[in-house]
Amino acid sequence: MNFSSTILANHLHPARMGAEIEDQTVQLRPSLAPRCERTKKTILLADDDTGVREMMGRVLEAENYEVILAKNGNETASKFVDGEPDIVLLDLNMPERDGWSALRFMNAVHPRLPVIIITARPNQYPQADDLGVDGLMEKPLNLPVLLEAIKVFLSETKDERTRRLANPKFKTALLSQHMQSPTNGGDR
């Protein structure tokens, strides 16, 4: 099974569909005008490390993505609601609200939005899988693998994503540092 089919073969994870907001009230602002279809996909990149945000932001923009940057968990939640991203890259170690809290908030607002955890914390896979995260990559980042995962998640139609999310055999994709190629199955 190749990397793309591995990612697409998994996910309507109960944790993504029934996420609860912890003492939060979400007020979504209806748009004053119909939303125009964007030509670029938008990525919300949340990381408290300025160097990581800037480097990843430049790489993602070079790949023709629109990038929204957030430096802490509260800013992540706010920009998530205001920015309507197509995918989120989420660090766990952030001030004001950690990544897990921000993830629970985002899941309550939009449970089907793809999220990839990028973290320096070891051993986070079990919690990521329990919460229905699409992918997890431990730092240091393997950019070719991360970029391929982003492309795969963003290429799903709404129906494909719903079927994947509803699959009881869903597992979070562990985006390995040792994968030889994201399309050949690598060392997963």
Side-chain angles (χ1 to χ4, degrees):
M1 179 177 287
N2 69 28
F3 178 75
S4 298
S5 61
T6 300
I7 287 179
L8 292 175
N10 307 316
H11 202 73
L12 206 25
H13 195 276
R16 293 295 292 269
M17 301 311 297
E20 305 213 3
I21 302 174
E22 301 165 356
D23 302 322
Q24 301 287 328
T25 302
V26 178
Q27 294 182 3
L28 298 177
R29 291 175 233 152
S31 177
L32 298 176
R35 184 174 170 194
C36 296
E37 198 60 36
R38 296 181 299 222
T39 57
K40 290 184 177 182
K41 296 290 187 176
T42 301
I43 297 175
L44 173 57
L45 171 59
D47 198 305
D48 65 320
D49 184 315
T50 303
V52 170
R53 270 195 327 274
E54 290 176 358
M55 180 272 303
M56 280 298 303
R58 284 192 302 270
V59 168
L60 294 168
E61 287 171 348
E63 294 291 321
N64 204 32
Y65 294 113
E66 187 78 30
V67 181
I68 302 169
L69 301 175
K71 64 181 177 259
N72 63 54
N74 286 338
E75 187 174 64
T76 300
S78 174
K79 289 186 175 187
F80 175 79
V81 172
D82 292 340
E84 301 182 35
D86 297 298
I87 192 168
V88 177
L89 303 181
L90 182 64
D91 185 26
L92 295 179
N93 294 328
M94 293 189 295
E96 297 184 27
R97 172 187 268 179
D98 74 3
W100 293 125
S101 176
L103 175 68
R104 287 181 186 94
F105 172 83
M106 291 184 289
N107 278 346
V109 174
H110 190 335
R112 291 183 181 98
L113 190 80
V115 176
I116 297 174
I117 298 289
I118 52 173
T119 186
R121 284 187 199 172
N123 306 316
Q124 297 302 301
Y125 183 84
Q127 186 168 357
D129 193 47
D130 287 346
L131 292 174
V133 171
D134 294 277
L136 179 130
M137 178 176 278
E138 291 183 359
K139 294 176 182 175
L141 300 176
N142 182 328
L143 290 178
V145 172
L146 182 59
L147 291 171
E148 179 66 18
I150 291 167
K151 187 187 323 181
V152 168
F153 289 132
L154 289 176
S155 70
E156 286 182 306
T157 66
K158 287 181 183 181
D159 287 343
E160 289 169 338
R161 181 149 179 84
T162 299
R163 278 192 301 277
R164 182 171 63 85
L165 292 169
N167 185 339
K169 294 180 181 180
F170 164 76
K171 290 290 185 194
T172 295
L174 182 57
L175 307 174
S176 172
Q177 300 300 325
H178 306 292
M179 211 175 274
Q180 295 172 349
S181 164
T183 57
N184 72 2
D187 328 301
R188 291 180 50 88

